[in-house]
Amino acid sequence: MIEASTFLRRALLADAVFSGVAALGFTFGAGAFAPLFNLPEALVRETGLFLIAYTALVGWLAARASVSKALVLLVVVGNAAWTAGSIALLLSGAVSPNLAGELMVVAQAIATGVFAELQYVGLRRSASAVAA
């Protein structure tokens, strides 16, 4: 366990808010978003359902003064994998989104990558704060 720096807690909270909004939109608005982005409705809805659980985890971590370093590192690696997976999905040909869909996938991949970086920096700040 480490004492979470304010920077780490804010990075986790921002991720939880962003993911929570996406979770609600994709879960309950899959029928509207799927044709807008030309993505399979099941993919949009299942992404939203996954994000509900993810939001709960990241929000819980953001609310803690001390956190498991391994759990935060799992979130960082998960965000990095999500970023890579999003780009791989577009390049794979498994889906054929329209321009709006491509922009949405790329935008959320970039945002997720930024969260991974911010959380990693926050994790390093937390570790150095404990060692000092």
Side-chain angles (χ1 to χ4, degrees), residues 20-110:
V21 169
L24 293 174
F26 290 163
T27 300
F28 299 110
F33 283 121
L36 177 67
F37 299 135
N38 198 38
L39 289 169
E41 186 173 337
L43 174 64
V44 175
R45 181 169 288 110
E46 289 167 13
T47 298
L49 291 171
F50 169 80
L51 287 174
I52 290 171
Y54 176 79
T55 298
L57 170 66
V58 177
W60 179 78
L61 284 171
R64 319 266 353 130
S66 62
V67 295
S68 164
K69 184 176 181 177
L71 196 52
V72 173
L73 191 56
L74 179 65
V75 170
V76 171
V77 170
N79 277 338
W82 185 284
T83 298
S86 296
I87 302 305
L89 177 67
L90 290 179
L91 298 175
S92 73
V95 295
S96 300
N98 56 24
L99 180 60
E102 288 176 358
L103 291 174
M104 186 274 301
V105 171
V106 169
Q108 63 82 33
I110 291 169

